[in-house]
Amino acid sequence: MGSIAAQLFSGLSRDIKSGSSLGSVNVDLQTDATLQVDISDALSERDKVKFTVHTKSTLPNFKQNEFSVVRQHEEFIWLHDSFVENEEYAGYIIPPAPPRPDFDASREKLQKLGEGEGSMTKEEFTKMKQELEAEYLAIFKKTVAMHEVFLCRVAAHPVLRKDMNFHVFLEYNQDLSVRGKNKREKMEDFFKNVVKSADGVLVAGVKDVDDFFEHEKTFLLEYHNRVKDASSKSDRMIRSHKSKSPHCLIISTCLGKFFLKVSELFEKTRKIEARVAADEDLKLADLLKYYLRESQAAKDLLYRRGRALVDYENANKALDKARAKNKDVLQAETSQQVCCQKFEKISESAKQELIDFKTRRVAAFRKNLVELAELELKHAKGNLQLLQSCVGVLKGDT
Amino acid sequence: MAASSRRNPPPLPGAENQDPLSEMADEDSDEGEDIFVGNSNPVAEAFQPDTANGEEPADLFSEAETSTAVNSSITTSKSNGVHSDNENDLFAEVSVELSMENPSTTAKSSGAEFTPSLTRSATQPESMEQLEEEKDEDSFDMEVAVTNPEKIGDGMNAYMAYKVSTRTTLPMFRNRTFSVWRRFSDFLGLYEKLSVKHSLNGCIIPPPPEKSVVGMTKVKVGKDDSSSADFVERRRAALERYLQRVVCHPSLLQDPDVREFLERDELPRAVGTHTLSGAGFLKMINRASDAVSKMTIKISDSDAWFDNKLQEVESEELQLRKLHAVVDSLVNHRKELCGNTAVFAKSMAMLGNSEDNTALSRALSQLAEVEDKMETLHQEQAASDFFILAELLADYIRLLGAVRGCFEQRMKTWQRWQEAQSTLQKKREVEAKLLWANKPDKLQQAKEEITEWEGKVTQYERDFDRISVTVRKEFLRFEKEKSKDFKSQIVKYLESLLQSQQRHVKFWEAFLPEAKAIA
């Protein structure tokens, strides 16, 4: 890696509190005093990011009232998976896991910049370096926010917050020695997913008794697909928006020779355009991405419920058969009971979860769309002002 | 008459009457030279405080010279008002003689006619002031436009015809507004003619837009898509700018070829403009040989001004090329952004459709509409980026090439002079040898040759001086034009940016209440 990249990556620590975008995606977080979680600091080293998870709690099961631990991304994933695998939580929407911190793109760009150092002027080079650093910082802040949101959702959930693993995660100040999945486990996961999706299709085919869930099923399916689509398109759009800015940069340095004022103008509008792209990214793209994951989690919930329903119906059939043959009736009865209970438990909590999901979603969209509109307006007006003053100056001194 | 008054400022109207003859004679002869020789006389040029000033009388004179439809135009041209009528009346009387005679007789005859017009001189002052005002504004009161591209013919022989409309108040033209149909090769032909005549003097001749085999073939074949429409529009705009530059140039405007181009209904097909013709090949060969000789010439110029300017021009050209490349890629990126925004808008609309909550659903559809409008905005922005900025840069890159050509001409003239000097030197040596060897008959021949070459040397030296002055003047004028052009185009571009931002603001302002209404 080039020297610049190395400089940037070694020991880059940022205080994210000041610029945290917590709550940008998830709005309804009732942070009550009994359990408050946040990420107070983060350190980026080479390949890893180390998050400092800070907890404030009045719950009795914690040894202290306030404490911090250092966690890495893999440990978050471990926590998430433990929720998913826990049968007890089958009836809840599990908050989606935060995405892996991905600095690859940024790293590549820095490397290219380092290689191309000779071919551009000193000022172009410093400008581009600053931009890339800012981009890197933005990605960094985002990944911190994603991890924080995950923890807060868990902390806000009435049932999940009591989970033992969660408490261990928050408190245990030694390394959890969670290793990433090795190849075999990854293959297992892969097969499990295949099975699950096939099963999912089967399960989805079963008509549900409850209208509410039936409706939700169809809605979520469609919604999920469309969000996925919208999210990818918005990504592309924002990427093109971002790539426009470097050009203005070069234009401004070239024009510098002719029209100082105009080059200054381009410089400023470029900064504004970059900020517009960044804001759009934050408010729109991130929103869509997050709800993509959440709607997937909701779909999972429905799948689990559907599975439980199928199991229940199968158990019923088995019971009928057993009763007819008058063999193993008790066994069939108990299994039917178990299935029934499971199904009903899931259904109950699922209904509430889905309603909550809806409210959360609407609120989050509202907040983000309003903020997006306000920011776009602000930037457009800023641009407008700059342009007007420049045109005024140029026309003035004819 | 008015011209003379402009020349020698203070005692104008009175002095005119007192000493009309000699003054007239002087200036007339200068002007006369202009007409007949076609080279701008540095002496005459030096007089003119404002280049435009000199044009007026020249136009009148040259108009009289060509004579064909003088009388009809006299009555229609009006801006010069009383003044021009008077002038033309004079010349109408002598028009028959003018076409054949040399300047001096013209002057005398016009001078002779002058005396009875004492009464008219009273009216001169106002028109003179009028004129001065006009000329001070440096406006030629002449507008050309290239419009209405039309495809004529079919298949590979098809071509685009453009309507060239001129609106002018200059008296040298037959009418005030007129238009003719021209095709691209006509424009190239005009350029060829002008370069042949004027480039040797060091004038900066605006180059026409480039030929494009690919573009034209598409048009010929009849592909009716946006790219060929774009191409035609680009070419039309470029041709218009080219013509505008030509008519802005004071000495080019005088050229009868230019007038013919603008006025004459049927222009003979310009030959030698086709790339694959014999003339085309010849040109290529010439250009190649020029390039080689360019590398070997280096003027030991006492005047460092030219060297500096040439260097400036070269570095500027480089800068402009770089800038042009960047603007091009900016245009492409904007187009890409445009496409992506459109796709995103559609996807948003679908999301809005499938959304449960009605308010949110409506808001999302609104967002989709806003993004759609954004897309149109971006597209327009890309178009303006291109048509205003990129084309401006391309034009100036070509113009700078022409400027360099000018400097090269000067170098060539210098070289010719130097060569003549060395030949003279050789002849002198030969003469000295002959003298020593005492061969009287050969000596005579040698002496004749020496006088011949001495004459050539002086002439070439004069040529060189003259071309230096012209190049310098042309360059300064070019610089002025350039900064004016750049400034106006950039202001135009910024204004378009401004407008798009205003609409930006409007769209988002409309969206905001919708977003807030989500419950």
Side-chain angles (χ1 to χ4, degrees):
Chain A
M1 240 192 301
S3 56
I4 317 107
Q7 275 170 11
L8 214 50
F9 287 3
S10 55
L12 184 67
S13 160
R14 294 275 190 268
D15 178 23
I16 7 89
K17 267 293 186 199
S18 46
S20 169
S21 56
L22 169 66
S24 75
V25 183
N26 222 314
V27 195
D28 267 356
L29 296 175
Q30 264 106 30
T31 44
D32 52 284
T34 49
L35 185 60
Q36 268 178 328
V37 186
D38 62 78
I39 297 185
S40 57
D41 199 4
L43 196 69
S44 164
E45 268 177 22
R46 291 250 131 207
D47 263 345
K48 301 194 244 266
V49 183
K50 294 207 166 102
F51 304 96
T52 309
V53 178
H54 168 248
T55 324
K56 253 205 241 176
S57 170
T58 52
L59 288 177
N61 40 352
F62 291 117
K63 290 192 209 104
Q64 300 163 302
N65 276 355
E66 195 171 337
F67 47 90
S68 295
V69 289
V70 176
R71 291 282 173 252
Q72 287 184 25
H73 175 74
E74 286 79 19
E75 292 163 327
F76 285 78
I77 301 296
W78 164 81
L79 185 61
H80 174 259
D81 287 347
S82 73
F83 288 148
V84 169
E85 285 159 12
N86 192 334
E87 286 267 339
E88 283 292 312
Y89 303 139
Y92 305 114
I93 297 183
I94 311 289
R100 207 176 73 86
D102 183 17
F103 297 107
D104 282 344
S106 193
R107 220 173 285 168
E108 245 183 64
K109 280 196 208 159
L110 266 173
Q111 205 167 6
K112 261 196 235 161
L113 182 68
E115 282 165 14
E117 185 174 353
S119 68
M120 50 180 110
T121 66
K122 195 77 170 66
E123 50 175 60
E124 268 176 32
F125 179 70
T126 24
K127 275 190 197 161
M128 293 214 80
K129 183 160 159 240
Q130 274 174 358
E131 252 188 47
L132 282 181
E133 283 179 354
E135 200 182 302
Y136 178 83
L137 188 60
I139 298 180
F140 188 74
K141 281 192 188 166
K142 244 202 282 190
T143 186
V144 166
M146 295 286 175
H147 286 76
E148 196 174 41
V149 158
F150 169 69
L151 289 180
C152 292
R153 285 264 278 121
V154 174
H157 195 281
V159 175
L160 292 177
R161 76 205 314 232
K162 300 190 196 126
D163 183 74
M164 254 325 5
N165 282 336
F166 185 47
H167 291 180
V168 167
F169 178 91
L170 288 176
E171 205 180 6
Y172 189 63
N173 52 11
Q174 314 253 302
D175 191 10
L176 287 174
S177 44
V178 164
R179 56 176 174 71
K181 300 201 167 146
N182 65 18
K183 242 197 207 154
R184 192 173 68 93
E185 284 168 346
K186 284 198 185 145
M187 284 297 278
E188 279 178 9
D189 269 353
F190 174 69
F191 279 122
K192 255 195 253 171
N193 272 334
V194 170
V195 168
K196 188 174 135 200
S197 44
D199 199 25
V201 172
L202 263 168
V203 165
V206 174
K207 176 95 172 78
D208 204 318
V209 177
D210 193 334
D211 266 345
F212 173 77
F213 286 107
E214 186 62 29
H215 168 82
E216 282 300 301
K217 219 177 0 170
T218 38
F219 161 70
L220 266 181
L221 209 63
E222 210 186 312
Y223 188 78
H224 176 80
N225 285 337
R226 299 220 176 139
V227 167
K228 196 173 355 175
D229 192 43
S231 154
S232 76
K233 304 275 166 63
S234 78
D235 270 347
R236 257 197 288 162
M237 175 177 90
I238 287 168
R239 254 206 307 273
S240 349
H241 214 151
K242 278 194 182 147
S243 60
K244 230 186 356 133
S245 344
H247 294 285
C248 296
L249 165 64
I250 301 181
I251 290 184
S252 73
T253 49
C254 281
L255 272 183
K257 296 244 172 127
F258 300 127
F259 289 98
L260 199 59
K261 265 284 158 187
V262 179
S263 83
E264 274 173 16
L265 169 75
F266 270 123
E267 184 59 36
K268 291 191 194 132
T269 53
R270 183 188 64 85
K271 288 211 182 97
I272 292 187
E273 291 270 326
R275 236 173 287 156
V276 169
D279 283 336
E280 279 185 356
D281 193 18
L282 208 60
K283 301 294 167 192
L284 206 48
D286 279 353
L287 175 71
L288 290 172
K289 270 189 235 153
Y290 186 80
Y291 277 94
L292 179 64
R293 291 203 302 279
E294 269 240 38
S295 59
Q296 180 62 45
K299 269 173 73 182
D300 286 344
L301 170 62
L302 279 179
Y303 161 72
R304 288 195 292 270
R305 181 175 169 281
R307 175 88 251 147
L309 178 61
V310 168
D311 286 343
Y312 180 40
E313 288 186 349
N314 287 344
N316 272 338
K317 283 191 208 137
L319 184 59
D320 287 341
K321 237 201 283 187
R323 282 204 180 128
K325 286 192 189 157
N326 210 355
K327 208 162 110 184
D328 295 325
V329 172
L330 196 59
Q331 198 183 26
E333 267 184 359
T334 32
S335 80
Q336 195 252 27
Q337 285 283 25
V338 164
C339 283
C340 178
Q341 269 171 0
K342 189 165 144 199
F343 174 67
E344 279 174 359
K345 180 163 159 237
I346 291 182
S347 288
E348 210 181 289
S349 54
K351 195 169 204 162
Q352 189 52 47
E353 286 280 308
L354 286 170
I355 292 177
D356 281 346
F357 171 62
K358 214 181 279 249
T359 341
R360 263 202 317 270
R361 191 179 73 234
V362 173
F365 266 81
R366 178 183 194 280
K367 177 167 178 279
N368 279 36
L369 287 180
V370 168
E371 282 177 2
L372 174 71
E374 286 174 348
L375 282 170
E376 291 264 3
L377 264 178
K378 181 174 129 199
H379 292 312
K381 284 190 180 150
N383 253 344
L384 196 62
Q385 209 180 29
L386 279 176
L387 282 169
Q388 269 168 342
S389 71
C390 187
V391 170
V393 166
L394 280 182
K395 274 188 173 167
D397 53 45
T398 347
Chain B
M1 303 174 282
S4 69
S5 51
R6 263 176 280 131
R7 290 267 169 82
N8 320 316
L12 296 176
E16 216 174 22
N17 296 330
Q18 285 151 26
D19 202 10
L21 284 162
S22 50
E23 278 187 39
M24 273 293 271
D26 276 327
E27 69 165 83
D28 283 353
S29 54
D30 292 338
E31 301 297 356
E33 267 179 47
D34 276 332
I35 316 168
F36 290 100
V37 177
N39 285 341
S40 31
N41 190 332
V43 180
E45 308 280 31
F47 270 121
Q48 298 161 20
D50 185 355
T51 47
N53 275 343
E55 302 327 307
E56 261 297 279
D59 295 337
L60 299 167
F61 292 115
S62 54
E63 144 121 286
E65 181 217 336
T66 51
S67 86
T68 41
V70 168
N71 291 320
S72 52
S73 63
I74 293 169
T75 45
T76 54
S77 67
K78 81 161 178 37
S79 78
N80 308 316
V82 183
H83 170 68
S84 63
D85 282 343
N86 294 336
E87 287 283 306
N88 292 331
D89 287 340
L90 287 173
F91 287 102
E93 290 160 19
V94 297
S95 59
V96 180
E97 300 149 68
L98 273 178
S99 44
M100 308 283 234
E101 278 159 17
N102 60 31
S104 42
T105 42
T106 319
K108 291 205 192 90
S109 43
S110 58
E113 305 300 336
F114 191 84
T115 28
S117 67
L118 277 173
T119 44
R120 290 183 239 179
S121 63
T123 51
Q124 298 309 336
E126 300 108 78
S127 46
M128 272 188 287
E129 259 125 38
Q130 242 179 6
L131 267 160
E132 269 193 328
E133 242 174 348
E134 268 177 43
K135 292 317 153 196
D136 284 346
E137 282 167 7
D138 206 14
S139 66
F140 282 96
D141 233 358
M142 173 148 191
E143 286 165 26
V144 282
V146 175
T147 49
N148 305 60
E150 267 177 31
K151 186 169 169 206
I152 308 223
D154 236 343
M156 284 313 283
N157 291 328
Y159 62 91
M160 292 302 285
Y162 303 90
K163 187 167 171 198
V164 177
S165 329
T166 322
R167 192 163 59 90
T168 175
T169 46
L170 289 177
M172 72 188 192
F173 290 99
R174 259 178 283 163
N175 305 310
R176 246 188 298 154
T177 47
F178 48 87
S179 55
V180 289
W181 288 90
R182 294 279 176 259
R183 52 185 291 184
F184 186 65
S185 51
D186 292 338
F187 288 84
L188 291 182
L190 176 68
Y191 173 68
E192 296 289 320
K193 287 190 212 149
L194 289 178
S195 353
V196 162
K197 277 193 273 179
H198 295 275
S199 64
L200 297 174
N201 310 334
C203 276
I204 299 176
I205 306 176
E210 281 157 3
K211 295 165 84 69
S212 162
V213 181
V214 177
M216 268 324 277
T217 327
K218 264 205 248 169
V219 173
K220 284 185 190 178
V221 166
K223 243 170 123 202
D224 211 10
D225 62 356
S226 64
S227 70
S228 50
D230 269 349
F231 173 77
V232 172
E233 174 55 31
R234 258 180 84 181
R235 182 165 269 200
R236 183 207 67 79
L239 288 173
E240 188 173 83
R241 286 195 305 272
Y242 164 63
L243 269 191
Q244 279 166 348
R245 289 204 184 96
V246 169
V247 300
C248 262
H249 194 295
S251 35
L252 288 184
L253 184 56
Q254 286 178 4
D255 193 312
D257 272 327
V258 172
R259 252 179 304 126
E260 189 182 67
F261 181 85
L262 290 173
E263 274 190 324
R264 197 159 151 192
D265 279 326
E266 279 296 320
L267 212 57
R269 220 0 242 293
V271 292
T273 57
H274 197 77
T275 340
L276 297 176
S277 67
F281 279 128
L282 201 63
K283 259 184 279 173
M284 275 193 274
I285 295 173
N286 281 336
R287 234 178 288 158
S289 66
D290 274 348
V292 173
S293 57
K294 227 196 304 179
M295 291 188 270
T296 51
I297 302 180
K298 183 67 179 102
I299 298 189
S300 55
D301 213 347
S302 53
D303 192 352
W305 187 88
F306 288 97
D307 251 345
N308 290 339
K309 289 301 172 184
L310 185 59
Q311 269 179 351
E312 264 180 39
V313 165
E314 284 177 348
S315 72
E316 208 172 298
E317 196 176 331
L318 241 82
Q319 279 286 72
L320 283 186
R321 273 188 206 273
K322 214 163 74 165
L323 194 54
H324 181 74
V326 172
V327 171
D328 251 349
S329 68
L330 177 65
V331 170
N332 284 337
H333 268 93
R334 241 197 246 277
K335 288 202 178 136
E336 197 185 304
L337 176 60
C338 192
N340 284 344
T341 315
V343 164
F344 175 68
K346 281 203 198 90
S347 153
M348 255 294 152
M350 289 189 56
L351 186 62
N353 274 341
S354 72
E355 174 63 58
D356 251 4
N357 183 312
T358 34
L360 181 55
S361 160
R362 199 175 45 235
L364 287 176
S365 321
Q366 287 287 68
L367 182 63
E369 271 181 41
V370 169
E371 292 291 338
D372 223 0
K373 289 186 196 142
M374 285 303 183
E375 183 230 342
T376 349
L377 267 187
H378 284 135
Q379 203 166 40
E380 285 173 11
Q381 190 56 59
S384 95
D385 277 350
F386 182 71
F387 279 111
I388 299 181
L389 213 51
E391 290 284 274
L392 170 74
L393 294 172
D395 274 356
Y396 271 94
I397 291 175
R398 276 202 302 272
L399 273 168
L400 284 178
V403 172
R404 259 190 304 127
C406 224
F407 278 85
E408 274 155 31
Q409 273 301 112
R410 182 176 165 269
M411 277 208 283
K412 275 202 223 145
T413 333
W414 183 83
Q415 196 186 33
R416 200 171 53 167
W417 176 35
Q418 296 300 315
E419 278 170 10
Q421 272 190 329
S422 68
T423 327
L424 180 64
Q425 187 63 23
K426 277 193 218 131
K427 298 285 178 191
R428 288 216 171 106
E429 283 171 9
V430 165
E431 189 211 17
K433 264 194 241 154
L434 286 177
L435 213 62
W436 198 76
N438 207 358
K439 290 198 181 134
D441 45 336
K442 286 221 179 124
L443 201 60
Q444 183 58 31
Q445 190 192 1
K447 282 212 195 292
E448 278 171 11
E449 281 182 358
I450 287 179
T451 20
E452 181 197 336
W453 278 96
E454 272 176 354
K456 278 199 188 157
V457 167
T458 16
Q459 197 208 334
Y460 290 162
E461 183 174 3
R462 256 215 315 266
D463 277 348
F464 178 68
D465 285 334
R466 201 172 48 204
I467 201 179
S468 296
V469 171
T470 319
V471 167
R472 186 183 283 239
K473 186 174 70 105
E474 284 282 301
F475 188 78
L476 291 173
R477 193 192 72 91
F478 170 73
E479 290 272 288
K480 209 167 70 162
E481 278 290 318
K482 182 179 77 166
S483 65
K484 204 168 66 169
D485 217 357
F486 258 88
K487 187 176 250 178
S488 75
Q489 289 294 84
I490 290 197
V491 168
K492 204 160 96 177
Y493 176 63
L494 289 182
E495 283 182 338
S496 85
L497 278 182
L498 200 90
Q499 268 182 355
S500 96
Q501 282 294 111
Q502 276 169 338
R503 288 166 67 193
H504 220 108
V505 168
K506 240 192 347 202
F507 294 150
W508 285 105
E509 272 179 351
F511 174 69
L512 192 56
E514 278 291 339
K516 287 195 168 149
I518 302 174

